[in-house]
Amino acid sequence: MICWEEFDRSLISYKHSLSGSQYTRISQGGISQVGKISYIQKSCISKTSKLMASASMLFPGARIGVAISGGVDSGVLLKILTLIKKKLPFEIELMALHINPGFDRNNHNHLVSWVKELGVSGYFTVTDFGLMAHSDENRSNSPCFFCAWRRRKKLFELVKEFKLTHLALGHTGDDLVSTFFMNLFYGGRVETMYPKEIFFKGEFYLIRPLLLIEKQKIIKLAKEFDIPVVENPCPSAKDTSRSKVMDFFEQIWSKETRIKKNIFSALYNYILKNPVPDYNSR
């Protein structure tokens, strides 16, 4: 059994080591003694560590598949996990998982090099999911739903194939908000994302370590970490239900910034007080 007090102490120690020491800087190769860590780096790593500890996401020997799409969210997630891994009081393994939807069969090539530089093992595959989603084969669902469903199914298969214990996704606080309102507006139900969920009667855990961090901070952090970002070639990338929901709320909280903070706080309190839905049947 893992001693969670030891885990918490390790993360607290890590947080203190990021408190602005003039000799600490996080670079692509890890922690080196050559400067100050920025406020945004300290804040995001601290929030991620805190959520991982409070949600009991990890245990000794965990094998974590990190889904990387080529976007800023998943890139920042992988980077932060490599840094946190160095400070844990037990061993875990990380594996990057990339599923190319087929629009550009080579646009993930520089991701391969970056993952190698991080010292993380990886699996990269090219599919036709995106092309199928925009073809006559998909007549009943939106292209986004079709492609996302196929990619998630493939990720679940990879979790089983590589005997992984966790699947980590790069959902942020903005995704927490948009998912809640998408379910409310389009599904007629009150439901959102959770930091940790159990799938298939405990076969693996799905975790979202960045769920407390706003997208705006993730974008800034990606620039500081020099995360390689793949331009999304999907023709539907800017015309999704999620983007429409976020555009709607952007118009509201652009005039009243506290609204976004209040919505996020309310949803965070909601997921803390309400049990995670049972996905054993999935």
Side-chain angles (χ1 to χ4, degrees), residues 4 23 30 53 80-81 89 93 97 114 125 130 135 139 157 220 231-233 237 244 248 275:
W4 285 106
Y23 301 109
I80 288 181
L81 288 179
E93 297 179 55
L97 304 174
W114 179 66
T125 185
S135 71
R139 295 178 180 275
E157 292 172 353
K220 291 180 180 178
E231 184 177 352
N232 190 348
K244 291 177 182 177
F248 171 76

Side-chain angles (χ1 to χ4, degrees), residues 61-270:
R63 295 167 53 85
I64 306 170
V66 185
I68 58 170
S69 63
V72 291
D73 302 340
S74 57
V76 166
L77 172 61
L78 180 60
K79 177 63 179 180
I80 288 181
L81 288 179
T82 62
L83 296 172
I84 290 178
K85 178 178 182 290
K86 298 176 186 295
K87 291 295 182 178
L88 290 174
F90 50 81
E91 292 295 323
I92 64 171
E93 297 179 55
L94 299 175
M95 182 178 189
L97 304 174
H98 175 78
I99 301 173
N100 185 321
F103 297 109
D104 182 343
R105 303 179 71 85
N106 298 308
N107 72 344
H108 65 276
N109 289 345
H110 65 291
L111 280 179
V112 177
S113 301
W114 179 66
V115 168
K116 287 182 179 179
E117 290 177 7
L118 290 178
V120 176
S121 60
Y123 175 91
F124 297 78
T125 185
V126 179
T127 70
D128 58 357
F129 296 160
L131 302 177
M132 292 168 60
H134 290 82
S135 71
D136 292 338
E137 181 177 344
N138 177 33
R139 295 178 180 275
S140 58
N141 296 307
S142 71
C144 295
F145 177 86
F146 183 96
C147 184
W149 184 83
R150 292 295 181 99
R151 284 186 286 115
R152 177 163 289 205
K153 181 180 179 182
K154 179 64 176 178
L155 286 172
F156 287 0
E157 292 172 353
L158 293 175
V159 167
K160 185 175 183 179
E161 177 181 348
F162 292 110
K163 296 181 173 57
L164 304 176
T165 59
H166 295 68
L167 176 62
L169 303 180
H171 292 126
T172 68
D174 288 44
D175 295 309
L176 177 71
V177 172
S178 61
T179 298
F180 174 82
F181 286 106
M182 283 175 62
N183 288 328
L184 187 64
F185 293 165
Y186 299 112
R189 65 183 187 278
V190 176
E191 184 179 321
T192 189
M193 296 175 171
Y194 289 83
K196 184 179 78 170
E197 300 171 9
I198 303 174
F199 275 75
F200 306 122
K201 298 181 179 179
E203 286 189 13
F204 69 89
Y205 297 94
L206 190 149
I207 59 174
R208 299 181 174 95
L210 302 183
L211 208 56
L212 294 184
I213 306 175
E214 295 181 22
K215 178 79 170 188
Q216 185 178 12
K217 292 183 178 180
I218 294 293
I219 294 173
K220 291 180 180 178
L221 190 59
K223 292 180 180 179
E224 292 192 9
F225 280 152
D226 195 23
I227 304 292
V229 177
V230 175
E231 184 177 352
N232 190 348
C234 175
S236 300
K238 297 181 180 180
D239 185 28
T240 66
S241 297
R242 187 178 298 277
S243 63
K244 291 177 182 177
V245 169
M246 291 307 292
D247 289 343
F248 171 76
F249 281 102
E250 284 289 350
Q251 296 178 21
I252 298 175
W253 56 54
S254 62
K255 301 176 182 178
E256 190 69 56
T257 55
R258 65 175 180 176
I259 292 178
K260 183 176 183 180
K261 182 179 180 181
N262 289 341
I263 291 176
F264 180 73
S265 297
L267 287 176
Y268 180 57
N269 289 331
Y270 174 84

Side-chain angles (χ1 to χ4, degrees), residues 6-20 24-27 30-31 37 41-42 44-50 52 79-89 225:
E6 183 182 4
F7 184 26
D8 290 342
R9 283 197 301 271
S10 175
L11 293 179
I12 291 172
S13 174
Y14 188 30
K15 181 178 179 180
H16 287 170
S17 74
L18 301 177
S19 62
T24 303
R25 182 185 72 186
I26 292 184
S27 62
I31 297 178
I37 184 173
Q41 292 172 0
K42 179 175 67 174
C44 291
I45 295 173
S46 176
K47 287 184 178 181
T48 303
S49 300
K50 178 181 178 181
M52 293 180 73
K79 177 63 179 180
I80 288 181
L81 288 179
T82 62
L83 296 172
I84 290 178
K85 178 178 182 290
K86 298 176 186 295
K87 291 295 182 178
L88 290 174
F225 280 152

